[in-house]
Amino acid sequence: MTQSIVVQVGQCGNQIGCRFWDLALREHASTNKSGTFDEPLSSFFRNVDARYSEPLDIPVGRGRDKICNLKARAVLVDMEEGVVSEILKGPLGDVFDHRQLITDVSGCGNNWAVGHMMYGSMYREQISEAIRRTAEMCDCLQCFFTLHSMGGGTGSGVGTFILNLLEEEYPEVYRFTTAVYPSAEDDVITSPYNSVLAMHQLTEHADCVLPIENQSLVDIFNMVNQAASKTSKISSTSKVKGGSTVTSDTGGIKGQEKPFDKMNNIVANLLLNLTSSSRFEGALNVDLNEITMNLVPFPKLHYLVSSLSPLYHLADVSLPLRKLDQMFSDAFTKEYQLISADPRHSLYLACALMVRGNVAVSDIRRNIDRLKPSLQFIHWNQEGWKTGLCSVPPVGQPYSLLALANNSCIRHTFTNLRDRFHKLYKRKAHLHHYTNVDGMEAAQFSQALESLTGLVKEYEQLEGTMGRVHEGAPRLQVAS
Amino acid sequence: MSLVTVQLGQCGNQIGGQLFNTVVEDAYGKGGLGCTKKENTLYQDAVLERFFNTEEPSGETRVSCSQQALPTARAVMVDMEPKVIQQTIQESKKSGKWRYCEKAQFCQKRGSGNNWAHGYGHHGPKARDAVMDIVQREVEKCDRFGGFLSLMSLAGGTGSGVGAYLTECLREEYPHSFLVNQIVWPYGTGEVIVQNFNAALTLSHLYQSADAIIVFENDNLHKICSQLLSIKNISFQDINSVISQELASVLQPAASGDCSRTNSPGELLERLVPDPQYKLLNVRTIPHTSERALAFSSFTWPGLLKHLRQMLIANAGMEEGVDWQVKVHSRDRRLSSADFISSLANVLFLRGKHCESTDISPFSDPRLYSSWVPRDAACSVFRQQRPFHHYEKYASLLSNSQAPVGPLDSLVGKAWNMFASRAYVHQYLKYGIAEEDFLDSFATLEQVISNYSNL
């Protein structure tokens, strides 16, 4: 079994990470009743004997040893103390090793350059040491997950700095990034700058990026709430069941749940489903490296549109239950995407369906055949489907689906971002805040913009082939 | 004569476990009722010699543990992930009739991630020494070593990539042994997007190193499961059990027409692969029926063979829905309708009562074969009086024919299309495969297609 390390950076990254660990623990608790430290647990957690001042790592062994103290394979980085110290005070505090935290007090002031250049070089040794320590505890390290936002300073700046560091020091280990993109009405004025600068780094150095948009999370959240209130009108007892994607029951959160927590739950669920089949058994296991292998046809086009379904599950059985086929259809509708994009009307380069729970291989096959006519696939990849099946369902749900698509619709998100960047950049607004930082040059803005434009153009070109009739490439001729 | 099985990757290991199960079930199952006790014992001994090692490890007392007395499979298990190997060993323990040798496994922590180049260029070379050691140990346990049977899939990374590499190693280290590779052809719309690349690279490499390649098509097996065995939710286990049954029906002991030879890999290859440019084999068997339905059906040898022959010429994978319109024409008329499958060689296996008196002349019809095939070399038969499993009569046909050309052609077409856009190629370049290697593979396969089409 391979292991993964989560690197959560900035306020957003740490909040998402916190939800992820909470849900992951709950998921393992429900499948692992005996309380032993087994292989699935070891992929994201360590078992330590905390009686020693240098906690002793207890290996999985034969998977029969009891859990002593679980520690997350995580590195927490923030340039402010608030969020991290709040996590440590909360019920999840014990899961994190205090040596895996790196914090500062002053924050990055929503400035990518401060995060990337200043704090990056300042904390380089410390970060590298923390990651090395975590990596050394792994038997076979396969993947880094970095979680951060794109709009702020710490997440985008330090986050992408760490990404480069990882590439340099662990070139063989895969780098997955979950990046939260700012909404159009964002309270941070410089967020377009930060996002475009960070995207340049993601395009160059990540193996796979899962962009998430704040606005889409809000929409999904509202949609689920509406569904909940609608059903409560019909019968006062029925509610959206506890195990839905946005609600989280009680657990890791102390006191009142904040609205952000619910949105972060969605992202945490995405990560859970993404890693489920590398954690648990299944008829069709999908390892994380298979995701990049199958979904990234060209090195830079590694941005995947993701959607989760079902988003909620009704407790009252008398109401029409979401049927299995509906789950597959939903995953391809606009409302269920975690970025505001409509993959149905754009070109698919490849698509992965990661199914969990009591679903047969033939169910997946049937649904692919059903959905295929309504989707456009690129001419050289008409059968671009990757399927995964994990036998352990998410907590409280019979089955679930995560659809990952490499789809040209993502370029709309990028062009929007570029337009907002332009608005600021043509007036050179706020530019001096960036160029004042040591190591930051004005040329980096134009380079980042160029990289983004290139990316958009690549998607546009591929989308341009849509609808045309394609003759197969002339085959090699054999001299007879 | 003994066979050493090399199980490669997830698919190979699962099929391997199933194959040994099938073989043991057949040897100790109902089939024994259909023949004399002596015949049955002879058959069981032959099966054991072929697939299992029954010798006690020296220095251990036999009484100590009943498990020690179980025959151990002559198998080498290779995978880059421990999960499937462990599962397969668990399942073999459940059967209680046979087991795997404890030291014949090789696994790593991390899979190949559907990347053929990762398996071929990275895992393969690293695994070589360890695996070759295990292989040598297994070979040395055989009194009469008959050859290797490698089981693998084409689509994944480990089975196909590591498999292709290790087959080359086997060829180097055992230049005079027979190498037969059993491969599973992926579904048309498969579970791996880069399956066509992986398959094209594997096939072209195997074509250089293996003596024969036995092809099983998932699509075809899926149909057999759903239509003939009426299984509702078809799992890979169901498909694998069909593969094992078909494979076992060819590999279980049988004697040639004049009883002078047995069906060892050497004998089969001599009859089936007359030219190294033609080495794609496939298996057709009849009947496929669930045990329940079998009680209500009866078969006659001429009926079975008539069906089987039509399956051959109409290129049908199973007995139901065979196109009876396809007719064999004499060669001069073939220009107008060349729609029947032409063969190079066929070997027929008949298992069950009265098989010795069956007329196999329909298969010796020279019109079935390419013009340069000598009449007496085209078709041969192996017989076994003892019934196979619960089947009173069972016929299987191992043939070297045009049948794999269709799927191969479409596979190469799709892979070539993808290669033309250079999609996914960068993933392979990362592990030391160059674009020229792709081109070489395509050239090899185009040559194979054209050879077979011109039969």
Side-chain angles (χ1 to χ4, degrees), chain A residues 355-395:
Chain A
V355 186
R356 300 182 64 177
N358 186 19
V359 180
V361 180
S362 47
D363 288 327
I364 305 179
R365 191 153 288 283
R366 186 187 68 237
N367 274 294
I368 289 180
D369 290 339
R370 191 170 59 85
L371 292 165
K372 216 171 144 189
S374 64
L375 307 172
Q376 292 254 22
F377 272 76
I378 195 156
H379 63 98
W380 42 258
N381 209 6
Q382 286 292 318
E383 282 132 14
W385 295 89
K386 167 80 186 165
T387 50
L389 187 50
C390 171
S391 49
V392 178
V395 181

Short mmCIF file of all heavy atoms in Angstrom, two decimals, chain A residues 355-395:
data_model
loop_
_atom_site.label_atom_id
_atom_site.label_comp_id
_atom_site.label_asym_id
_atom_site.label_seq_id
_atom_site.Cartn_x
_atom_site.Cartn_y
_atom_site.Cartn_z
N VAL A 355 -16.44 5.30 -8.97
CA VAL A 355 -17.67 4.90 -8.29
C VAL A 355 -17.33 4.21 -6.98
O VAL A 355 -16.34 3.48 -6.88
CB VAL A 355 -18.49 3.95 -9.18
CG1 VAL A 355 -19.83 3.66 -8.55
CG2 VAL A 355 -18.67 4.56 -10.54
N ARG A 356 -18.14 4.50 -5.98
CA ARG A 356 -17.97 3.82 -4.70
C ARG A 356 -19.26 3.15 -4.31
O ARG A 356 -20.34 3.63 -4.62
CB ARG A 356 -17.61 4.83 -3.59
CG ARG A 356 -16.35 5.58 -3.83
CD ARG A 356 -16.07 6.50 -2.66
NE ARG A 356 -15.82 5.71 -1.46
CZ ARG A 356 -15.49 6.26 -0.29
NH1 ARG A 356 -15.41 7.57 -0.17
NH2 ARG A 356 -15.24 5.52 0.75
N GLY A 357 -19.14 2.03 -3.62
CA GLY A 357 -20.32 1.40 -3.06
C GLY A 357 -20.79 0.21 -3.86
O GLY A 357 -20.07 -0.36 -4.68
N ASN A 358 -22.04 -0.11 -3.62
CA ASN A 358 -22.60 -1.35 -4.14
C ASN A 358 -23.07 -1.16 -5.59
O ASN A 358 -24.25 -1.12 -5.88
CB ASN A 358 -23.78 -1.75 -3.24
CG ASN A 358 -24.33 -3.09 -3.62
OD1 ASN A 358 -23.66 -3.87 -4.29
ND2 ASN A 358 -25.55 -3.35 -3.22
N VAL A 359 -22.12 -1.06 -6.49
CA VAL A 359 -22.44 -0.85 -7.91
C VAL A 359 -21.66 -1.91 -8.68
O VAL A 359 -20.53 -2.22 -8.35
CB VAL A 359 -22.01 0.56 -8.36
CG1 VAL A 359 -22.33 0.77 -9.82
CG2 VAL A 359 -22.70 1.62 -7.52
N ALA A 360 -22.31 -2.48 -9.71
CA ALA A 360 -21.62 -3.51 -10.49
C ALA A 360 -20.92 -2.88 -11.68
O ALA A 360 -21.30 -1.80 -12.14
CB ALA A 360 -22.62 -4.55 -10.96
N VAL A 361 -19.91 -3.58 -12.18
CA VAL A 361 -19.19 -3.09 -13.34
C VAL A 361 -20.15 -2.89 -14.51
O VAL A 361 -20.05 -1.94 -15.27
CB VAL A 361 -18.07 -4.08 -13.73
CG1 VAL A 361 -17.31 -3.58 -14.94
CG2 VAL A 361 -17.11 -4.28 -12.57
N SER A 362 -21.15 -3.79 -14.61
CA SER A 362 -22.08 -3.68 -15.73
C SER A 362 -22.96 -2.45 -15.60
O SER A 362 -23.40 -1.89 -16.62
CB SER A 362 -22.92 -4.94 -15.83
OG SER A 362 -23.43 -5.29 -14.57
N ASP A 363 -23.22 -1.99 -14.38
CA ASP A 363 -24.00 -0.75 -14.19
C ASP A 363 -23.24 0.43 -14.79
O ASP A 363 -23.82 1.30 -15.44
CB ASP A 363 -24.24 -0.48 -12.70
CG ASP A 363 -25.23 -1.44 -12.09
OD1 ASP A 363 -26.16 -1.85 -12.82
OD2 ASP A 363 -25.07 -1.78 -10.91
N ILE A 364 -21.94 0.46 -14.52
CA ILE A 364 -21.13 1.56 -15.04
C ILE A 364 -21.14 1.52 -16.56
O ILE A 364 -21.35 2.54 -17.24
CB ILE A 364 -19.69 1.46 -14.52
CG1 ILE A 364 -19.69 1.39 -12.99
CG2 ILE A 364 -18.86 2.63 -14.99
CD1 ILE A 364 -18.31 1.25 -12.39
N ARG A 365 -20.95 0.32 -17.08
CA ARG A 365 -20.89 0.13 -18.53
C ARG A 365 -22.20 0.59 -19.18
O ARG A 365 -22.21 1.29 -20.18
CB ARG A 365 -20.64 -1.35 -18.80
CG ARG A 365 -20.29 -1.72 -20.19
CD ARG A 365 -19.46 -2.97 -20.17
NE ARG A 365 -18.13 -2.69 -19.67
CZ ARG A 365 -17.18 -2.11 -20.40
NH1 ARG A 365 -17.42 -1.77 -21.65
NH2 ARG A 365 -16.00 -1.87 -19.89
N ARG A 366 -23.30 0.20 -18.58
CA ARG A 366 -24.60 0.55 -19.12
C ARG A 366 -24.76 2.08 -19.15
O ARG A 366 -25.22 2.65 -20.13
CB ARG A 366 -25.70 -0.08 -18.26
CG ARG A 366 -27.09 0.11 -18.83
CD ARG A 366 -28.16 -0.38 -17.88
NE ARG A 366 -28.25 0.44 -16.68
CZ ARG A 366 -28.13 -0.03 -15.45
NH1 ARG A 366 -27.91 -1.32 -15.25
NH2 ARG A 366 -28.21 0.77 -14.41
N ASN A 367 -24.34 2.71 -18.06
CA ASN A 367 -24.52 4.17 -17.98
C ASN A 367 -23.60 4.89 -18.96
O ASN A 367 -23.98 5.93 -19.50
CB ASN A 367 -24.29 4.64 -16.56
CG ASN A 367 -25.55 4.55 -15.74
OD1 ASN A 367 -26.51 5.25 -16.01
ND2 ASN A 367 -25.56 3.63 -14.80
N ILE A 368 -22.42 4.36 -19.16
CA ILE A 368 -21.54 4.98 -20.15
C ILE A 368 -22.20 4.92 -21.52
O ILE A 368 -22.26 5.91 -22.25
CB ILE A 368 -20.17 4.28 -20.16
CG1 ILE A 368 -19.40 4.61 -18.89
CG2 ILE A 368 -19.37 4.70 -21.39
CD1 ILE A 368 -18.04 3.96 -18.80
N ASP A 369 -22.75 3.75 -21.85
CA ASP A 369 -23.41 3.61 -23.14
C ASP A 369 -24.59 4.57 -23.27
O ASP A 369 -24.87 5.09 -24.34
CB ASP A 369 -23.89 2.17 -23.33
CG ASP A 369 -22.73 1.22 -23.51
OD1 ASP A 369 -21.65 1.70 -23.90
OD2 ASP A 369 -22.88 0.01 -23.27
N ARG A 370 -25.27 4.79 -22.16
CA ARG A 370 -26.44 5.67 -22.17
C ARG A 370 -26.03 7.13 -22.35
O ARG A 370 -26.65 7.89 -23.09
CB ARG A 370 -27.18 5.49 -20.85
CG ARG A 370 -28.55 6.11 -20.77
CD ARG A 370 -29.24 5.64 -19.50
NE ARG A 370 -28.48 5.99 -18.31
CZ ARG A 370 -28.59 7.18 -17.69
NH1 ARG A 370 -29.39 8.09 -18.15
NH2 ARG A 370 -27.86 7.43 -16.62
N LEU A 371 -24.95 7.53 -21.66
CA LEU A 371 -24.58 8.95 -21.65
C LEU A 371 -23.77 9.35 -22.87
O LEU A 371 -23.79 10.50 -23.29
CB LEU A 371 -23.77 9.26 -20.39
CG LEU A 371 -24.55 9.19 -19.08
CD1 LEU A 371 -23.60 9.16 -17.91
CD2 LEU A 371 -25.50 10.38 -18.97
N LYS A 372 -23.07 8.38 -23.42
CA LYS A 372 -22.11 8.68 -24.47
C LYS A 372 -22.67 9.49 -25.64
O LYS A 372 -22.04 10.46 -26.06
CB LYS A 372 -21.52 7.37 -25.00
CG LYS A 372 -20.07 7.48 -25.37
CD LYS A 372 -19.54 6.10 -25.64
CE LYS A 372 -18.55 6.14 -26.76
NZ LYS A 372 -18.20 4.79 -27.19
N PRO A 373 -23.86 9.15 -26.15
CA PRO A 373 -24.36 9.90 -27.31
C PRO A 373 -24.51 11.40 -27.05
O PRO A 373 -24.44 12.20 -27.97
CB PRO A 373 -25.73 9.27 -27.58
CG PRO A 373 -25.67 7.93 -26.96
CD PRO A 373 -24.76 8.04 -25.79
N SER A 374 -24.72 11.79 -25.79
CA SER A 374 -24.95 13.21 -25.53
C SER A 374 -23.65 13.96 -25.25
O SER A 374 -23.66 15.16 -25.01
CB SER A 374 -25.90 13.37 -24.34
OG SER A 374 -25.29 12.84 -23.19
N LEU A 375 -22.53 13.26 -25.27
CA LEU A 375 -21.26 13.92 -24.96
C LEU A 375 -20.35 13.90 -26.18
O LEU A 375 -20.41 12.98 -27.00
CB LEU A 375 -20.55 13.19 -23.81
CG LEU A 375 -21.39 12.99 -22.54
CD1 LEU A 375 -20.65 12.09 -21.57
CD2 LEU A 375 -21.69 14.33 -21.89
N GLN A 376 -19.53 14.92 -26.27
CA GLN A 376 -18.61 15.02 -27.40
C GLN A 376 -17.21 14.65 -26.96
O GLN A 376 -16.64 15.31 -26.09
CB GLN A 376 -18.57 16.47 -27.89
CG GLN A 376 -19.85 16.92 -28.52
CD GLN A 376 -19.70 17.01 -30.02
OE1 GLN A 376 -18.82 16.36 -30.60
NE2 GLN A 376 -20.54 17.80 -30.66
N PHE A 377 -16.66 13.64 -27.57
CA PHE A 377 -15.28 13.27 -27.25
C PHE A 377 -14.39 13.60 -28.44
O PHE A 377 -14.82 13.57 -29.59
CB PHE A 377 -15.17 11.78 -26.93
CG PHE A 377 -15.41 11.47 -25.48
CD1 PHE A 377 -16.69 11.49 -24.97
CD2 PHE A 377 -14.36 11.19 -24.64
CE1 PHE A 377 -16.92 11.21 -23.64
CE2 PHE A 377 -14.58 10.91 -23.31
CZ PHE A 377 -15.86 10.93 -22.79
N ILE A 378 -13.14 13.90 -28.13
CA ILE A 378 -12.21 14.24 -29.20
C ILE A 378 -11.99 13.03 -30.10
O ILE A 378 -12.07 11.88 -29.67
CB ILE A 378 -10.88 14.77 -28.61
CG1 ILE A 378 -10.06 15.46 -29.69
CG2 ILE A 378 -10.09 13.67 -27.94
CD1 ILE A 378 -9.09 16.48 -29.17
N HIS A 379 -11.71 13.30 -31.38
CA HIS A 379 -11.78 12.22 -32.37
C HIS A 379 -10.80 11.08 -32.12
O HIS A 379 -11.08 9.94 -32.44
CB HIS A 379 -11.58 12.79 -33.77
CG HIS A 379 -10.24 13.42 -33.99
ND1 HIS A 379 -9.21 12.76 -34.60
CD2 HIS A 379 -9.75 14.63 -33.66
CE1 HIS A 379 -8.14 13.54 -34.64
NE2 HIS A 379 -8.45 14.69 -34.08
N TRP A 380 -9.67 11.38 -31.49
CA TRP A 380 -8.73 10.28 -31.26
C TRP A 380 -8.95 9.58 -29.93
O TRP A 380 -8.20 8.70 -29.54
CB TRP A 380 -7.27 10.72 -31.38
CG TRP A 380 -6.94 12.04 -30.74
CD1 TRP A 380 -6.78 13.23 -31.39
CD2 TRP A 380 -6.75 12.32 -29.35
NE1 TRP A 380 -6.51 14.23 -30.48
CE2 TRP A 380 -6.48 13.70 -29.24
CE3 TRP A 380 -6.77 11.54 -28.19
CZ2 TRP A 380 -6.23 14.31 -28.00
CZ3 TRP A 380 -6.53 12.16 -26.97
CH2 TRP A 380 -6.26 13.53 -26.89
N ASN A 381 -9.96 10.01 -29.23
CA ASN A 381 -10.22 9.37 -27.95
C ASN A 381 -11.71 9.14 -27.76
O ASN A 381 -12.28 9.54 -26.76
CB ASN A 381 -9.65 10.23 -26.82
CG ASN A 381 -9.25 9.40 -25.61
OD1 ASN A 381 -9.28 8.18 -25.67
ND2 ASN A 381 -8.88 10.05 -24.54
N GLN A 382 -12.32 8.49 -28.76
CA GLN A 382 -13.77 8.28 -28.70
C GLN A 382 -14.15 7.38 -27.53
O GLN A 382 -15.28 7.41 -27.06
CB GLN A 382 -14.24 7.64 -30.00
CG GLN A 382 -14.26 8.59 -31.19
CD GLN A 382 -15.32 9.65 -31.04
OE1 GLN A 382 -16.44 9.37 -30.63
NE2 GLN A 382 -14.99 10.88 -31.39
N GLU A 383 -13.23 6.58 -27.08
CA GLU A 383 -13.55 5.70 -25.95
C GLU A 383 -12.76 6.11 -24.73
O GLU A 383 -12.19 5.29 -24.03
CB GLU A 383 -13.25 4.26 -26.33
CG GLU A 383 -14.32 3.66 -27.20
CD GLU A 383 -13.73 2.97 -28.40
OE1 GLU A 383 -12.52 2.73 -28.40
OE2 GLU A 383 -14.49 2.69 -29.32
N GLY A 384 -12.72 7.42 -24.50
CA GLY A 384 -11.86 7.94 -23.43
C GLY A 384 -12.44 7.82 -22.05
O GLY A 384 -12.52 8.81 -21.33
N TRP A 385 -12.85 6.65 -21.65
CA TRP A 385 -13.44 6.48 -20.32
C TRP A 385 -12.53 5.65 -19.44
O TRP A 385 -12.09 4.57 -19.82
CB TRP A 385 -14.78 5.75 -20.41
CG TRP A 385 -15.82 6.51 -21.13
CD1 TRP A 385 -16.07 6.49 -22.48
CD2 TRP A 385 -16.76 7.43 -20.59
NE1 TRP A 385 -17.10 7.32 -22.78
CE2 TRP A 385 -17.56 7.91 -21.64
CE3 TRP A 385 -17.02 7.89 -19.29
CZ2 TRP A 385 -18.58 8.82 -21.45
CZ3 TRP A 385 -18.05 8.79 -19.10
CH2 TRP A 385 -18.82 9.25 -20.17
N LYS A 386 -12.29 6.16 -18.28
CA LYS A 386 -11.56 5.40 -17.27
C LYS A 386 -12.53 5.14 -16.15
O LYS A 386 -13.20 6.07 -15.68
CB LYS A 386 -10.37 6.23 -16.78
CG LYS A 386 -9.69 5.73 -15.54
CD LYS A 386 -8.75 4.61 -15.85
CE LYS A 386 -8.19 4.01 -14.56
NZ LYS A 386 -7.57 2.72 -14.80
N THR A 387 -12.66 3.91 -15.71
CA THR A 387 -13.62 3.63 -14.66
C THR A 387 -12.93 3.01 -13.45
O THR A 387 -11.99 2.24 -13.59
CB THR A 387 -14.70 2.65 -15.16
OG1 THR A 387 -14.06 1.55 -15.77
CG2 THR A 387 -15.61 3.31 -16.14
N GLY A 388 -13.41 3.40 -12.29
CA GLY A 388 -12.89 2.84 -11.06
C GLY A 388 -14.06 2.42 -10.17
O GLY A 388 -15.13 3.04 -10.22
N LEU A 389 -13.85 1.39 -9.42
CA LEU A 389 -14.92 0.89 -8.56
C LEU A 389 -14.33 0.50 -7.22
O LEU A 389 -13.46 -0.36 -7.13
CB LEU A 389 -15.58 -0.31 -9.23
CG LEU A 389 -16.83 -0.89 -8.59
CD1 LEU A 389 -17.84 0.19 -8.31
CD2 LEU A 389 -17.44 -1.92 -9.51
N CYS A 390 -14.80 1.19 -6.18
CA CYS A 390 -14.31 0.90 -4.83
C CYS A 390 -15.48 0.34 -4.05
O CYS A 390 -16.58 0.88 -4.09
CB CYS A 390 -13.80 2.18 -4.20
SG CYS A 390 -13.42 2.02 -2.47
N SER A 391 -15.26 -0.75 -3.33
CA SER A 391 -16.39 -1.42 -2.72
C SER A 391 -16.88 -0.74 -1.44
O SER A 391 -17.98 -1.00 -0.99
CB SER A 391 -16.03 -2.88 -2.43
OG SER A 391 -14.80 -2.94 -1.77
N VAL A 392 -16.08 0.14 -0.85
CA VAL A 392 -16.49 0.79 0.40
C VAL A 392 -17.23 2.09 0.07
O VAL A 392 -16.64 3.01 -0.49
CB VAL A 392 -15.28 1.09 1.28
CG1 VAL A 392 -15.71 1.81 2.55
CG2 VAL A 392 -14.54 -0.19 1.62
N PRO A 393 -18.52 2.18 0.39
CA PRO A 393 -19.26 3.41 0.09
C PRO A 393 -18.92 4.50 1.10
O PRO A 393 -18.38 4.22 2.16
CB PRO A 393 -20.72 2.98 0.22
CG PRO A 393 -20.69 1.85 1.19
CD PRO A 393 -19.35 1.18 1.04
N PRO A 394 -19.24 5.76 0.77
CA PRO A 394 -19.03 6.82 1.74
C PRO A 394 -19.97 6.62 2.93
O PRO A 394 -20.98 5.95 2.80
CB PRO A 394 -19.38 8.09 0.98
CG PRO A 394 -19.89 7.70 -0.33
CD PRO A 394 -19.82 6.24 -0.49
N VAL A 395 -19.63 7.24 4.04
CA VAL A 395 -20.43 7.05 5.25
C VAL A 395 -21.86 7.53 5.01
O VAL A 395 -22.08 8.63 4.51
CB VAL A 395 -19.82 7.84 6.42
CG1 VAL A 395 -20.64 7.63 7.68
CG2 VAL A 395 -18.39 7.42 6.64
#
